[in-house]
């Protein structure tokens, strides 16, 4: 695979946006391999993802951002530029459950997405062995009401030390503070319900009590409001009166694994654009 | 089809329940064509549905209930007895939207379920023509804050006059009062969301605002607490950032039609057993 | 809604395609409201759909095709141009089953898609009454082995007479001849199985015999090879050992309705591009 | 969990079957915790699964089969008796792909089903390391046209040596001979398509060529006819024109994992009854 560049752009809608962006790439000899756009008419917003091959692109990498900046500024555009051969680094945060952790590690090894996983952080020591089995560093950082803010400083130091780009909360059963999120905002969480149903703790117990016929799982970016961040992906499974809470938890695990993995993959491929509390997913 | 009898039974769990019930039917020459049971171990409750052919059953119909009563009493059982050739009578309540109404009428004509639909009640005059097209009586009963309690008296009189067994709220955009429900408790509603997400008004607008990736519909029995009654059936459909509120409403209509129809069919076939705020659906 | 123009284009992949097409629209003052593209790298093919508003477009309608032709020719592009205010005319073909017919008529009335349905053609007289109920012309054209070719001439004359743009086989249980398809190739069929499983007659009986746990329905363009044309849309439903053939047929009807309706809607919105035996669906 | 006994019974339908079976259990003091039945009216066959607690059952285990035999014989019943504390032993057969293997091992460790996995057999050496990682014996038995029958003798010896009750073909890309199946008939296979579509080799390539919009996976018992045995479980996933063969394979892996795992779990819980080429799945 030749390396590619990807632009994710959002700006107020106006005529000529597609032409201007496409011309910039064509004029420099780029071959577009993916282009998708979305217009939110209610918000008056144009959002696009455009990916092109770098091998015959005449502009050296370091000049792409400055050159595109000149185009973007008059459009009042927000934009990100990514190169496909920059390997993102993920920290997986867990508590005691191992299914999402195993799944993400397996998918990374199977090359379903491209990333390095140098570190696992946990508030419990239980999954240390799994980390060792796969040669990943493991940091046990227990959290109490009292030590939370000091422990979060340690966590932030670890993210810096390991040069982490993305935190994945793979069944990390702790709330991350607003202060933490402000300093490190790239966090994806898997919530074990079909949000906004069953916010907070014990969603499978809540689902059982309510007698629902379908359960779900939701992957979302973490914001300071609990379980209320922009949703990246959701999926559901049918249940019946025969399923007790243990069955819901078991069936839910299969959902959590695939929903979290899809969200992480979409994020790593720069296919998710957040605006307001919503996402555009360029599949 | 030979006529059948169906018993829906719930009672505290104990040994010998299946044997006692099966013996009662076998001793009288009945051929069981469907038997299903469920034990809720947490609640200590045994729930069953048993259906048998009447043609070689030695006990005359009028003696089945008294005879079974003698068995049921020592078991502290709640039970219902239904005969398949008793045709239930449905009142469909609507407001302005016609998709669920059309769908239920079409299914009844296509014999997907056995019922008579002698009357449509609406708080708007819009669907009178549809009623006439299919030869169904139509009663326009507008509701305001002021007249609600007197209009509900009229509605109850109509249900009595038409000998209605089941009210189906097929997009009836009014809350039915607790007093009404107390007097006529057999009501199925279709709520246009995946409950308990988006209770109350404008669920598709709420869903759009939250940026969900899946929408749903829920058919449930109506209780005095809004949108909180026992769920009979739910289903979902995938949506994306490309779907605006109008798209959610359009896609939702397809869900509402099938979810409501399945719930009505299950109820009419005496396959739904309510206990607490839950249902057992014997499919 | 302001009228829009839509271009569906396929051509050999090369640099600058997006720029050239976008420039053409921008240079003439058009505001793009939808643009999507797909590259089939194996086939070396670029496929795109681009839709823009006509109200501030400087080029009069009759000049758009000639002007774009000049751009398309050097690119060896196949292309279609559509205007959103040209109302397509559909002929629905049926046999005895009414569920897809009712559904399409209801959706057209509910404005889920924009089209006129001036005529229903059937090889059975059964659904004449439905046609009359909705004020649609009905032509009964019985088909036997002997009269098939002469009857197809009549059918073609009717399509011409009613100025039909699209034939929808809504459970028309007859094979259309290759000669017919050659003369009128815009035909969408609903096949009552998850193709390519259960090609040909009685797919639900075949599905029951095979003991599948899921059934499906497939909407596809009709080609001379039976049930082998390009697939537009498919969907499935779960079944169990409790479902006999009649249940499969009943559950299948719900699938057939929505799958056919989605395919017709996508086609009418010019969102389907056929190449080889495949479709690109620009949703 | 107290140990339970489970009877799986099929016999010609007649009156009194439920009563006779339930009486047998009740008369001996058993508490039924699951009872489900199905009547195939076309085949005139009654099929049931009944599970009861053993702790207060008066009949010692070794007498249950002889005692029930006396009841079963006049009914011409086929039946199996299982005890929940007999741990079945599984041999997993693989080739080069590890996703189903990993998944089954993880689920067994997570106690999603109760079984021992003492041995992995493969026609390739690739997954030896995985076996070692989890402390499972690994036997590399390469297969060629020439050595197949002698190698199958070795495989049968291994099954005997390890006292295997069930073979799971977890992406074992070899056809097992009729001779083998005759000697060891308890084999579950995962086929990477929605059978009966795309029988045989390279189903994802076939699916891509056909341009389907949904792909599937099928778990079935292996019979001498390729990919034609009784289906236990199937599931599907939506795909689009954007998915090339590699994407279908990736999405298919998620299906294969859950479909195979569900089938193995259902089999191990004695919930699957085969008759003819069909299964009844008592969920």
């Amino acid at each position: 695979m030749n390396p590619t560049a990807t632009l994710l752009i959002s700006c107020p809608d106006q005529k000529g946006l597609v032409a201007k962006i496409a011309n910039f790439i064509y004029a420099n000899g780029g071959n577009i391999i993916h282009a998708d756009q979305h217009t939110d008419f209610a918000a008056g917003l144009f959002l696009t993802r455009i990916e092109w091959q770098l091998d015959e692109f005449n502009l050296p990498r370091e000049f792409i951002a400055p050159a595109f900046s000149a185009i973007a500024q008059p459009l009042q555009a927000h934009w990100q530029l990514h190169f496909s051969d920059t390997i993102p680094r993920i920290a997986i945060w867990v508590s005691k459950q191992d299914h999402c952790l195993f799944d993400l590690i397996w998918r990374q090894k199977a090359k379903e997405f491209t990333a390095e996983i140098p570190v696992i952080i946990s508030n419990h020591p239980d999954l240390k062995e799994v980390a060792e089995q796969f040669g990943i560093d493991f940091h046990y950082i227990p959290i109490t009401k009292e030590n939370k803010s000091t422990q979060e400083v340690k966590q932030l130091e670890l993210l810096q030390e390991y040069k982490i780009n993305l935190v994945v909360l793979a069944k990390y059963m702790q709330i991350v503070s607003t202060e933490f999120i402000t300093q490190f905002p790239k966090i994806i969480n898997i919530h074990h319900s079909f949000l906004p149903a069953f916010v907070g703790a014990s969603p499978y117990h809540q689902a059982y009590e309510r007698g629902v016929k379908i359960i779900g799982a939701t992957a979302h970016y973490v914001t300071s409001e609990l379980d209320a961040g922009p949703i990246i992906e959701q999926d559901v499974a049918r249940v019946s009166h025969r399923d007790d809470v243990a069955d819901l938890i078991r069936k839910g695990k299969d959902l959590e694994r695939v929903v979290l993995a899809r969200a992480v993959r979409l994020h790593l491929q720069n296919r998710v654009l957040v605006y307001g509390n919503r996402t555009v997913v360029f599949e």
Side-chain angles (χ1 to χ4, degrees), chain A:
Chain A
M1 268 308 259
N2 288 322
T4 62
T6 299
L7 275 168
L8 282 170
I9 309 165
S10 64
C11 65
D13 194 23
Q14 57 173 272
K15 285 183 194 173
L17 290 169
V18 178
K20 279 170 191 164
I21 298 163
N23 282 339
F24 166 70
I25 293 159
Y26 181 44
N28 291 292
N31 191 34
I32 294 171
I33 61 166
H34 178 262
D36 195 3
Q37 71 157 78
H38 174 61
T39 309
D40 183 327
F41 292 104
L45 212 59
F46 171 88
L47 309 111
T48 192
R49 179 190 190 275
I50 198 154
E51 182 175 2
W52 70 96
Q53 291 168 331
L54 284 171
D55 55 342
E56 298 185 10
F57 200 60
N58 302 322
L59 212 55
R61 285 191 190 203
E62 62 272 26
F63 294 123
I64 298 177
F68 186 72
S69 187
I71 295 165
Q73 210 164 1
L75 304 175
Q76 296 173 275
H78 294 270
W79 56 280
Q80 313 160 26
L81 175 66
H82 301 278
F83 298 112
S84 66
D85 50 6
T86 309
I87 312 298
R89 294 168 65 82
I90 301 176
I92 302 181
W93 292 27
V94 294
S95 290
K96 293 180 172 182
Q97 289 185 299
D98 65 358
H99 56 289
C100 287
L101 175 63
F102 258 121
D103 190 70
L104 288 170
I105 294 173
W106 174 81
R107 288 179 201 270
Q108 186 251 8
K109 287 193 178 304
K111 297 190 172 47
E112 291 204 357
F113 52 77
T114 306
E116 279 172 29
I117 306 174
V119 64
I120 295 167
I121 295 175
S122 181
N123 59 333
H124 291 280
D126 306 52
L127 299 180
K128 189 169 204 278
E129 212 177 316
V130 178
E132 283 168 355
Q133 188 180 356
F134 291 98
I136 302 173
D137 288 2
F138 183 89
H139 291 269
Y140 166 42
I141 303 185
I143 306 280
T144 61
K145 261 188 195 168
E146 292 70 30
N147 74 4
K148 185 158 185 165
S149 56
T150 54
Q151 296 295 67
E152 285 197 337
V153 172
K154 275 194 206 167
Q155 290 169 334
L156 280 168
E157 286 170 357
L158 281 173
L159 298 187
Q160 208 159 16
E161 179 189 329
Y162 283 95
K163 291 175 184 151
I164 295 303
N165 307 106
L166 176 70
V167 166
V168 177
L169 306 183
K171 305 291 288 176
Y172 179 71
M173 310 310 272
Q174 279 282 333
I175 296 171
V176 179
S177 77
T178 301
E179 292 70 39
F180 186 97
I181 299 165
T182 309
Q183 295 195 55
F184 192 95
K186 295 269 178 198
I187 310 173
I188 293 176
N189 182 44
I190 179 72
H191 184 75
H192 38 315
S193 87
F194 182 76
L195 287 176
F198 311 130
V199 167
S202 299
Y204 293 123
H205 289 80
Q206 292 183 55
Y208 181 81
E209 285 308 313
R210 184 60 189 90
V212 294
K213 301 299 185 188
I214 289 174
I215 56 168
T218 305
H220 63 95
Y221 289 111
V222 172
T223 59
S224 56
E225 192 183 341
L226 182 64
D227 298 333
I231 294 171
I232 306 169
E233 171 66 341
Q234 300 186 292
D235 211 341
V236 296
R238 195 159 272 273
V239 297
S240 82
H241 60 271
R242 296 201 186 278
D243 294 302
D244 59 22
V245 174
D247 293 314
L248 300 192
I249 291 172
R250 175 176 51 81
K251 291 187 171 182
K253 282 180 181 174
D254 279 348
L255 287 176
E256 294 162 19
R257 298 199 302 183
V258 296
V259 169
L260 179 58
R262 281 187 213 140
V264 168
R265 188 174 186 270
L266 289 166
H267 174 88
L268 293 174
Q269 295 188 341
N270 304 302
R271 295 182 179 278
V272 188
L273 216 171
V274 176
Y275 73 104
N277 203 41
R278 313 172 63 73
T279 61
V280 172
V281 178
F282 295 108
E283 269 178 296

